Short mmCIF file of all heavy atoms in Angstrom, two decimals:
data_model
loop_
_atom_site.label_atom_id
_atom_site.label_comp_id
_atom_site.label_asym_id
_atom_site.label_seq_id
_atom_site.Cartn_x
_atom_site.Cartn_y
_atom_site.Cartn_z
N THR A 431 115.05 47.68 -15.28
CA THR A 431 114.67 46.38 -14.71
C THR A 431 113.87 46.63 -13.44
O THR A 431 114.07 47.64 -12.75
CB THR A 431 115.90 45.52 -14.36
OG1 THR A 431 115.44 44.31 -13.73
CG2 THR A 431 116.86 46.23 -13.40
N ARG A 432 112.93 45.73 -13.19
CA ARG A 432 112.18 45.76 -11.93
C ARG A 432 112.38 44.42 -11.23
O ARG A 432 111.49 43.94 -10.50
CB ARG A 432 110.69 46.06 -12.19
CG ARG A 432 110.47 47.34 -12.98
CD ARG A 432 109.01 47.73 -13.08
NE ARG A 432 108.16 46.69 -13.63
CZ ARG A 432 107.99 46.43 -14.93
NH1 ARG A 432 108.65 47.15 -15.86
NH2 ARG A 432 107.20 45.46 -15.32
N HIS A 433 113.54 43.82 -11.46
CA HIS A 433 113.87 42.56 -10.80
C HIS A 433 113.80 42.77 -9.29
O HIS A 433 114.28 43.78 -8.76
CB HIS A 433 115.27 42.10 -11.21
CG HIS A 433 115.56 40.68 -10.80
ND1 HIS A 433 115.92 40.36 -9.51
CD2 HIS A 433 115.53 39.53 -11.49
CE1 HIS A 433 116.09 39.04 -9.43
NE2 HIS A 433 115.86 38.51 -10.63
N THR A 434 113.21 41.81 -8.59
CA THR A 434 112.99 41.94 -7.14
C THR A 434 114.30 42.19 -6.38
O THR A 434 114.30 42.88 -5.36
CB THR A 434 112.28 40.67 -6.61
OG1 THR A 434 110.99 40.61 -7.22
CG2 THR A 434 112.12 40.69 -5.11
N LEU A 435 115.42 41.65 -6.88
CA LEU A 435 116.70 41.81 -6.18
C LEU A 435 117.54 42.93 -6.80
O LEU A 435 118.73 43.05 -6.50
CB LEU A 435 117.46 40.49 -6.19
CG LEU A 435 116.65 39.27 -5.68
CD1 LEU A 435 117.45 37.97 -5.82
CD2 LEU A 435 116.23 39.48 -4.22
N SER A 436 116.95 43.76 -7.66
CA SER A 436 117.70 44.84 -8.29
C SER A 436 117.88 46.00 -7.31
O SER A 436 117.32 46.01 -6.21
CB SER A 436 116.98 45.31 -9.56
OG SER A 436 115.69 45.82 -9.26
N ASP A 437 118.64 47.00 -7.75
CA ASP A 437 118.99 48.17 -6.94
C ASP A 437 117.72 48.85 -6.42
O ASP A 437 116.76 49.06 -7.16
CB ASP A 437 119.78 49.15 -7.83
CG ASP A 437 120.41 50.27 -7.01
OD1 ASP A 437 120.09 50.38 -5.81
OD2 ASP A 437 121.22 51.01 -7.58
N THR A 438 117.72 49.18 -5.12
CA THR A 438 116.55 49.86 -4.57
C THR A 438 116.82 51.33 -4.26
O THR A 438 115.89 52.07 -3.97
CB THR A 438 116.07 49.17 -3.27
OG1 THR A 438 117.16 49.15 -2.34
CG2 THR A 438 115.61 47.74 -3.54
N GLY A 439 118.10 51.73 -4.32
CA GLY A 439 118.44 53.11 -3.96
C GLY A 439 118.47 54.06 -5.14
O GLY A 439 118.29 55.28 -4.97
N ASN A 440 118.69 53.53 -6.33
CA ASN A 440 118.79 54.37 -7.53
C ASN A 440 117.48 55.11 -7.79
O ASN A 440 116.40 54.53 -7.65
CB ASN A 440 119.17 53.47 -8.72
CG ASN A 440 119.60 54.28 -9.93
OD1 ASN A 440 118.84 55.06 -10.47
ND2 ASN A 440 120.85 54.10 -10.34
N ALA A 441 117.58 56.37 -8.23
CA ALA A 441 116.37 57.19 -8.40
C ALA A 441 115.62 56.85 -9.68
O ALA A 441 114.43 57.15 -9.79
CB ALA A 441 116.75 58.67 -8.39
N THR A 442 116.31 56.26 -10.67
CA THR A 442 115.64 56.07 -11.96
C THR A 442 115.64 54.63 -12.46
O THR A 442 114.90 54.31 -13.38
CB THR A 442 116.34 56.92 -13.05
OG1 THR A 442 117.73 56.57 -13.08
CG2 THR A 442 116.18 58.41 -12.77
N ARG A 443 116.49 53.77 -11.89
CA ARG A 443 116.56 52.39 -12.37
C ARG A 443 116.36 51.40 -11.23
O ARG A 443 116.83 51.62 -10.12
CB ARG A 443 117.93 52.14 -13.03
CG ARG A 443 118.06 50.73 -13.65
CD ARG A 443 119.42 50.49 -14.28
NE ARG A 443 119.54 49.10 -14.74
CZ ARG A 443 119.15 48.66 -15.93
NH1 ARG A 443 118.65 49.51 -16.80
NH2 ARG A 443 119.26 47.38 -16.25
N GLY A 444 115.63 50.29 -11.53
CA GLY A 444 115.49 49.25 -10.52
C GLY A 444 114.14 49.27 -9.83
O GLY A 444 113.32 50.17 -10.01
N ILE A 445 113.93 48.22 -9.02
CA ILE A 445 112.60 48.01 -8.43
C ILE A 445 112.25 49.08 -7.39
O ILE A 445 111.07 49.41 -7.22
CB ILE A 445 112.49 46.58 -7.83
CG1 ILE A 445 111.02 46.25 -7.52
CG2 ILE A 445 113.40 46.41 -6.61
CD1 ILE A 445 110.73 44.80 -7.30
N GLY A 446 113.27 49.65 -6.74
CA GLY A 446 112.99 50.69 -5.73
C GLY A 446 112.36 51.91 -6.38
O GLY A 446 111.32 52.43 -5.93
N ALA A 447 112.97 52.37 -7.48
CA ALA A 447 112.42 53.53 -8.21
C ALA A 447 111.02 53.21 -8.71
O ALA A 447 110.11 54.05 -8.66
CB ALA A 447 113.35 53.90 -9.36
#
Side-chain angles (χ1 to χ4, degrees):
T431 176
R432 305 187 305 277
H433 192 281
T434 296
L435 308 176
S436 61
D437 191 350
T438 56
N440 193 298
T442 56
R443 184 180 175 88
I445 193 164

